Structure formats: C-alpha cells, structure tokens
Amino acid sequence: MKKKKIFLCVLLAAIFAFSLGGCSAEGSDSSTQTKENYADVVVFMGQSNMAGRGSAEDSVRCGEGHGFEFRAVTDPTKLYPMSEPFGENENNDRLSDITGTRNKKTGSLVSAFCEAYYTRTGVPIIGVSASQGGTNSYEWQPGNGLVEEAKSRLELCINYMYSQDEYEVRNIFMVWLQGESDAGNGVGYDEYNANMRNIVNTMKSAGVQHCYLIAIGTYMESISPEKHDKYLRFGELQATMCENNDDMTLVSRKLAGMPESMMHLNNHYIQAAYNIVGNDAGRNTAEHVLTGKAPECQPYVEGESV
C-alpha cells in the first residue's frame, strides 16, 4: 500500500512538472516568434508601358493590405494603399512622366501585379514608382541620372521600412518594362545586354536581389509593319537575355500577343491589357520567389481577361 502511495505521488508530481514545463515552453515560443507581417519592396522601372497609359477606373482593385505605394517624391513619411494611377505624382527634375502640364500616368499594370502576387504569397508589396516614357537603355545608364534617381527612391523606401515596426522587409527586387525605344532604334543583343547589366548592378548596390522583366509588346502592324517586326524580335532578344543572366528572370510575354483592339497610340495599351499583363507577371514573379524556378511565360490568348 505504501508503494502505491509513493508511485501515485511521483506520478502526480511528474504530471504537474510537465504541465509547468509546457506552459513555460509556450511562453518562451511566444516571446521569440518570428514576425509574421512581412512585405516585399519593389521598384517598378521602365518607360511608358510601365508608367501606364491605361484608364485607372478600369484597373484591378488591390485588396486592403495587399499592396502599398511609397511616395518617395511627394510624401516619403508613410505608406499609401495601392491604387491607380500608380505613381501619378512621383515626378521631379531627374525622373518625370509629365509633358508640359499633362501627367501621362493614367493607369498601369502595378495594381494587378500586386494583387496577383499577394494572392499567391500572402505578402503585400511596397511599390516605388520610377518610370518615364520614351526613355532608352542608354539614358538609364549610370551617370545619366535616371537610374540614380530610381536607386535614391528605393533607398528612401528601404530606410523608411526599417524605421517602422508594422512590416518587416522580406525581399527587395525590381520589375522592369522597357525596350520599345531601343527596339525602334535597332539596338542589338550585345548592346542591350550590357546596358541592362549596368542598370541591374546599380540597383543591386541599393539592395535589389533580382530583376523581373516583362517583355515589350508590339507596334501596331497597321501603322508600321517594319516596327511591328522589330518589336517582336526585340522581345525575343529580352527572353534570351534573361535565360543567359542569373540576375534577370522573364515573368511575362503577354504584351507581344495583344491584338490592336487592345492597343492605342501606336505602341501603348488599354487598361484591360495592363490588367492581364500585371496579373501574369505578378503570379509568375511570386512563383519564382517561392520556388526559385523560372516560369514558363505564355503569350496572350484571344479572349483572355482578369
């Protein structure tokens, strides 16, 4: 009988100690939990089709908390909910998409990109606008001002993110859509590849981990068959360049297959086209971020929509 009492006391003591240990472990875990509020910082760079020539009212709506804009030029003190026209007022003497008094940014692919990215990753994007219509890759070379301004805007955003405690920066990358000017001027593979390496390396010095590239579209064939063919060949050049460069990944080829009914102003697109491309690029970028595998980018399919 005495042995039974001793065994019972030992068993009760063990259970009590285990329950205390469990509480202690749980408390320890809660105090060292990894922060869950991650965000990825993205600088959107390029020329007019990155800046956006669509219609904001027809854009994809970015869900609450799914994406934000950091306004490096007009108000670098807080984050704004992502909306179109993205980067509408982010213009200064070094990088501006204003001609005369007209702001050309009317609706872009960025909101669709952010929404698709969040849907796949559960992580919001903090977007920084750095695009200017009509610019070629030589104007984006170090020393000419544009890439330095993009780098400065990104650095402002990163510094802001590290100063606040709502979101923890997980990744930093750039999304690039440019090349129409180079295509029209007959710039070849070696030239463009060298120029892009300089641009990406400059942005890497500001923290960019990778460049995600959206291939250019076409020029209206009914206006200029010659330019139309040049643009298509240049898009192939960009795809090859990404295959040969570990710092760049192609994430969309949808623009090249768009019919003229989804185009305007010779080589620009209506908002529905930007929505499709943004959704495609955002989803493919997310897959690469999550898996490290280059996506198989598919051309536009007639009737496709978001």
Side-chain angles (χ1 to χ4, degrees), residues 133-145:
T135 52
N136 59 51
S137 62
Y138 291 95
E139 292 174 288
W140 281 95
Q141 290 305 286
N144 292 336

Side-chain angles (χ1 to χ4, degrees), residues 175-221:
V175 176
W176 180 263
L177 172 49
Q178 182 278 340
E180 294 92 343
S181 294
D182 293 70
N185 292 327
V187 173
Y189 178 88
D190 290 340
E191 297 170 271
Y192 192 72
N193 184 48
N195 289 348
M196 280 304 302
R197 286 179 181 272
N198 289 337
I199 294 165
V200 173
N201 285 338
T202 299
M203 297 307 294
K204 284 175 69 176
S205 70
V208 163
Q209 297 159 281
H210 204 74
C211 172
Y212 292 103
L213 188 143
I214 300 171
I216 66 167
T218 61
Y219 197 95
M220 285 185 172
E221 190 172 14

Side-chain angles (χ1 to χ4, degrees), residues 105-146:
K105 294 177 183 174
T106 54
S108 76
L109 59 83
V110 176
S111 288
F113 183 104
C114 293
E115 185 63 19
Y117 188 86
Y118 184 89
T119 298
R120 182 66 182 88
T121 65
V123 175
I125 280 177
I126 312 299
V128 181
S129 175
S131 54
Q132 179 174 315
T135 52
N136 59 51
S137 62
Y138 291 95
E139 292 174 288
W140 281 95
Q141 290 305 286
N144 292 336
L146 294 180

Side-chain angles (χ1 to χ4, degrees), residues 29-38 168:
D29 285 345
S30 64
S31 66
T32 59
Q33 281 182 339
T34 302
K35 190 172 181 179
E36 293 182 356
N37 289 339
Y38 290 112
E168 181 177 331

